[in-house]
Amino acid sequence: MFFFIKQLQNYSFILISANFHVLYFVKKQTFSIFAPMKVVIIGAGAAGCFAAIEIKRRRSDVCVTVLERGPKALAKVAVTGGGRCNITNTFAGMRSMEQVYPRGHRLMKRLLHHFSYQDTFQWFEHEGVPLVTQSDECVFPRSQDAMQVVDTLLGLMRSYGVCLVTGCTVQRISPLNSGYRIDTSEYAYTADRVLVAAGGQPRLSCFNMLSVLDIDIVPPVPSLFSLSIADQELTSLMGTVVEQVQLSLVGTKIRTSGALLITHWGISGPATLRLSSIAARMLAECNYTGIAVSINWMSCHNSDEVLQIVKELARQNAQKQLHSAYPTELNARLWRHLLQRASMSQDTRWRELHGKGINRIVNILTNDIYNVIGKNRFKEEFVTCGGVALGALRPDTLESRQWPGLYFAGEVTDVDAVTGGFNLQAAWTMGYVAARAIAQT
């Protein structure tokens, strides 16, 4: 609880907290008469809010203030997972950490020893958010409502006395003889410790608040986006979902698998989003054009297996026309589209199909190539590749090597993941590790 006492002269206002900490704000200067260690967290996203709670749990005497540029805290959490909030993932079946964290996999492997997905699962269930694990290993609230997660985190912040300031844009962080000064659009704050958890930034200019500190920044580019395809025959199938495909960028070794959704602009769905994450910087360098994507519509099978499937289709449906019998993985509309791309007459009967025709069908099923002409943002979500260089941070605390008392967590760093709850897990983990380090100082 906080009490505000307005002043007509000299001071903008006086802020008195429930434990009688008094802060005077004078124009753009802040003076503390009596206060414990002060921590300012920049960004009220998943990492920032989680860190605020964890700091207060360890050090109830610490004064924690969270500054958020937007009008609401945890806005991105509220929309992630289609509004259901994909809190984490079990990591089951993962061959390597790099498979899900294209950037930052070594750091995340290290940090997950301190706060794993199991810890996340227990943390939220302990706070009254029952979780369920889907067949794809994604973990959601049982309520299937992201606002349950948002309300739980905000409720904990209120109960611990965390001060949340929204609509507050940080302009500059400057070092002091002891601690830091944080200039915002309204006031200036001082802090003994600063945690920057401002989320993914779309432009290099968004890191201007760090310019005085000369922090090493990896230029940001978008990640997790769908791909635009200039093929009207394909996009006319919008709404079609194939549960398991394999995507690859032609001429590279980059491959992903998962469900694919055909949209009115091209392709989306988990397989596409994973491809965009892994190839984020490569796609940015070519400006999202001049590159082709190959679709294996039968991703569970290689060419030889698909050949046998097609031959069996021909044997079992000898009297039927090609358009009326097709692999169970596909629907009729998509099958007709693929027959056309293979230059096959749909009225041909399966018994009339010979070696070259069979090979054309096998090839289009396993290597259907489309030119990419651009990208599209994925719903309301936005993830970036790039940020504060990981070499600038101490890996066990996420503290700046150059500036003691300055910490970074979440997407503001050069860590990002594919879809499936891995980005939020990185936020919980990094927020936890930074909070623990801050509380121990």
Side-chain angles (χ1 to χ4, degrees), residues 63-196:
C63 179
V64 178
T65 301
V66 181
L67 308 178
E68 168 57 37
R69 178 178 55 190
K72 295 181 180 180
L74 297 164
K76 190 172 177 180
V77 174
V79 300
T80 188
R84 298 187 298 136
C85 191
N86 190 178
I87 282 183
T88 186
N89 192 289
T90 68
F91 290 73
M94 184 188 67
R95 296 187 301 273
S96 68
M97 198 64 69
E98 190 173 9
Q99 182 183 346
V100 293
Y101 292 106
R103 288 150 292 274
H105 60 278
R106 292 186 181 87
L107 177 64
M108 286 308 304
K109 183 176 181 179
R110 186 168 185 166
L111 296 182
L112 284 166
H113 288 297
H114 301 294
F115 195 82
S116 66
Y117 108 83
Q118 292 96 334
D119 295 318
T120 298
F121 203 106
Q122 294 171 8
W123 195 97
F124 279 99
E125 290 219 318
H126 181 267
E127 297 302 334
V129 183
L131 304 178
V132 294
T133 304
Q134 297 184 163
S135 59
D136 60 1
E137 307 303 330
C138 293
V139 178
F140 288 86
R142 186 181 299 165
S143 65
Q144 301 291 294
D145 184 4
M147 290 310 299
Q148 184 183 17
V149 178
V150 171
D151 292 341
T152 297
L153 293 171
L154 292 179
L156 287 168
M157 290 170 67
R158 284 193 296 269
S159 67
Y160 283 120
V162 173
C163 180
L164 173 62
V165 183
T166 57
C168 179
T169 300
V170 174
Q171 299 171 332
R172 183 170 53 255
I173 303 172
S174 308
L176 301 173
N177 290 334
S178 177
Y180 295 87
R181 170 182 167 126
I182 301 95
D183 287 287
T184 74
S185 52
E186 294 293 330
Y187 305 106
Y189 298 79
T190 60
D192 301 293
R193 304 287 183 271
V194 175
L195 170 60
V196 180

Side-chain angles (χ1 to χ4, degrees), residues 25-342:
F25 294 84
V26 187
K27 295 182 180 179
K28 295 200 75 177
Q29 298 289 333
T30 302
F31 300 91
S32 174
I33 292 179
F34 173 76
M37 182 173 81
K38 292 182 292 183
V39 176
V40 169
I41 298 175
I42 301 171
C49 291
F50 198 77
I53 294 166
E54 287 298 314
I55 291 171
K56 291 294 289 186
R57 280 182 167 171
R58 287 166 168 74
R59 292 278 301 275
S60 60
D61 61 312
V62 172
C63 179
V64 178
T65 301
V66 181
L67 308 178
E68 168 57 37
R69 178 178 55 190
K72 295 181 180 180
L74 297 164
K76 190 172 177 180
V77 174
V79 300
T80 188
R84 298 187 298 136
C85 191
N86 190 178
I87 282 183
T88 186
N89 192 289
T90 68
F91 290 73
M94 184 188 67
R95 296 187 301 273
S96 68
M97 198 64 69
E98 190 173 9
Q99 182 183 346
V100 293
Y101 292 106
R103 288 150 292 274
H105 60 278
R106 292 186 181 87
L107 177 64
M108 286 308 304
K109 183 176 181 179
R110 186 168 185 166
L111 296 182
L112 284 166
H113 288 297
H114 301 294
F115 195 82
S116 66
Y117 108 83
Q118 292 96 334
D119 295 318
T120 298
F121 203 106
Q122 294 171 8
W123 195 97
F124 279 99
E125 290 219 318
H126 181 267
E127 297 302 334
V129 183
L131 304 178
V132 294
T133 304
Q134 297 184 163
S135 59
D136 60 1
E137 307 303 330
C138 293
V139 178
F140 288 86
R142 186 181 299 165
S143 65
Q144 301 291 294
D145 184 4
M147 290 310 299
Q148 184 183 17
V149 178
V150 171
D151 292 341
T152 297
L153 293 171
L154 292 179
L156 287 168
M157 290 170 67
R158 284 193 296 269
S159 67
Y160 283 120
V162 173
C163 180
L164 173 62
V165 183
T166 57
C168 179
T169 300
V170 174
Q171 299 171 332
R172 183 170 53 255
I173 303 172
S174 308
L176 301 173
N177 290 334
S178 177
Y180 295 87
R181 170 182 167 126
I182 301 95
D183 287 287
T184 74
S185 52
E186 294 293 330
Y187 305 106
Y189 298 79
T190 60
D192 301 293
R193 304 287 183 271
V194 175
L195 170 60
V196 180
Q201 303 298 323
R203 297 176 301 278
L204 193 59
S205 60
C206 296
F207 292 91
N208 286 346
M209 64 178 168
L210 301 173
S211 58
V212 174
L213 304 173
D214 194 29
I215 299 288
D216 187 15
I217 305 295
V218 178
V221 298
S223 180
L224 290 188
F225 47 83
S226 56
L227 297 175
S228 296
I229 303 292
D231 187 304
Q232 293 183 353
E233 297 298 327
L234 178 70
T235 56
S236 69
L237 303 175
M238 61 182 180
T240 298
V241 176
V242 182
E243 291 299 332
Q244 192 69 18
V245 307
Q246 183 180 80
L247 291 183
S248 60
L249 287 183
V250 176
T252 76
K253 295 182 179 180
I254 297 175
R255 288 176 173 77
T256 61
S257 60
L260 182 137
L261 167 67
I262 300 174
T263 69
H264 66 275
W265 63 82
I267 56 174
S268 187
T272 306
L273 299 176
R274 289 168 186 159
L275 188 76
S276 75
S277 177
I278 294 170
R281 199 160 294 282
M282 178 187 300
L283 290 167
E285 289 172 354
C286 68
N287 199 29
Y288 310 100
T289 59
I291 195 165
V293 62
S294 170
I295 306 175
N296 178 348
W297 299 101
M298 310 276 288
S299 73
C300 294
H301 310 282
N302 58 38
S303 295
D304 290 339
E305 292 171 334
V306 174
L307 176 61
Q308 295 307 314
I309 291 173
V310 173
K311 286 182 176 180
E312 185 63 18
L313 272 172
R315 188 187 68 80
Q316 293 182 359
N317 302 278
Q319 300 303 319
K320 293 183 179 180
Q321 295 176 324
L322 293 184
H323 70 83
S324 63
Y326 47 86
T328 56
E329 291 87 348
L330 312 177
N331 63 27
R333 292 174 64 210
L334 177 57
W335 175 242
R336 287 194 294 269
H337 167 71
L338 296 177
L339 287 176
Q340 181 179 350
R341 285 179 63 78

